[in-house]
């Protein structure tokens, strides 16, 4: 997912292999350290079921992906190139249990849409984020939420 707001372009990449007990603040630093990019280029890290959504300044995207292709990083954080975070596969097996495939897909889309909407609402409280970056991230989240609007 990409969005351009002003002169800032953001990209969200999806990864697997991150332990659930790792907090998002620590996860943000770990991801930046593992792939060798400056921490400030990681705009947001969010859980998506058993994966993670990493939102970066788009300029850092190629370096991030190149670092993920190294043997050591690829073993720890596999990149999900064609991932759909609103799909049932991101919903997690525990949540899918007992649901039909169609019901699991609908529940996953609704859950993902609610998470994006909640993140949009709490964005104003991210006072540590520069206003230009907050606006770019707002645009980025809104672009991801738009196709899911009917889900919630």
């Amino acid at each position: 997912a990409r969005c351009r707001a002003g002169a800032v372009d953001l990209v969200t990449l999806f990864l697997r292999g991150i332990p659930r007990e790792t907090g998002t603040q620590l996860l943000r630093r770990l991801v930046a350290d593992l792939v060798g990019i400056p921490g400030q280029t990681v705009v947001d890290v969010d859980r998506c079921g058993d994966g993670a959504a990493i939102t970066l300044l788009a300029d850092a995207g190629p370096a991030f992906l190149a670092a993920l292709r190294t043997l050591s990083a690829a073993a720890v954080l596999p990149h999900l190139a064609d991932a759909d975070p609103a799909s049932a596969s991101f919903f997690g097996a525990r949540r899918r249990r007992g649901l039909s495939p169609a019901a699991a897909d609908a529940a996953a889309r609704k859950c993902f849409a609610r998470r994006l909407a909640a993140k949009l609402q709490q964005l104003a409280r991210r006072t540590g984020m520069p206003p230009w970056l907050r606006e770019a991230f707002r645009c980025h989240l809104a672009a991801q939420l738009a196709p899911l609007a009917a889900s919630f």
Side-chain angles (χ1 to χ4, degrees):
R2 290 180 83 97
C3 179
R4 186 166 182 78
V8 180
D9 198 5
L10 302 178
V11 63
T12 298
L13 305 171
F14 299 94
L15 310 174
R16 286 226 196 275
I18 298 168
R20 288 199 174 278
E21 58 276 1
T22 308
T24 54
Q25 284 297 90
L26 175 61
L27 181 56
R28 192 174 172 175
R29 284 194 311 272
L30 288 173
V31 166
D33 289 347
L34 182 66
V35 297
I37 61 172
Q40 64 269 25
T41 61
V42 180
V43 175
D44 187 64
V45 176
D46 195 16
R47 297 264 182 236
C48 291
D50 58 351
I54 314 294
T55 301
L56 312 162
L57 295 176
D59 293 345
F64 187 89
L65 289 172
L68 282 179
R69 288 185 202 106
T70 66
L71 187 58
S72 59
V76 178
L77 296 173
H79 175 231
L80 304 173
D82 296 321
D84 175 7
S87 73
S89 66
F90 266 86
F91 202 41
R94 186 174 49 94
R95 289 177 153 174
R96 287 191 314 258
R97 193 172 299 127
L99 297 175
S100 69
D105 193 48
R109 292 183 73 73
K110 186 174 185 177
C111 179
F112 185 65
R114 279 194 317 256
R115 289 174 54 149
L116 288 175
K119 190 175 282 262
L120 262 173
Q121 291 204 348
Q122 63 86 26
L123 197 54
R125 294 191 307 261
R126 289 192 178 189
T127 56
M129 186 181 279
W132 58 268
L133 186 54
R134 206 169 33 243
E135 178 57 24
F137 193 39
R138 186 204 60 74
C139 172
H140 187 70
L141 290 170
Q144 290 179 18
L145 185 58
L148 303 170
S151 298
F152 66 109

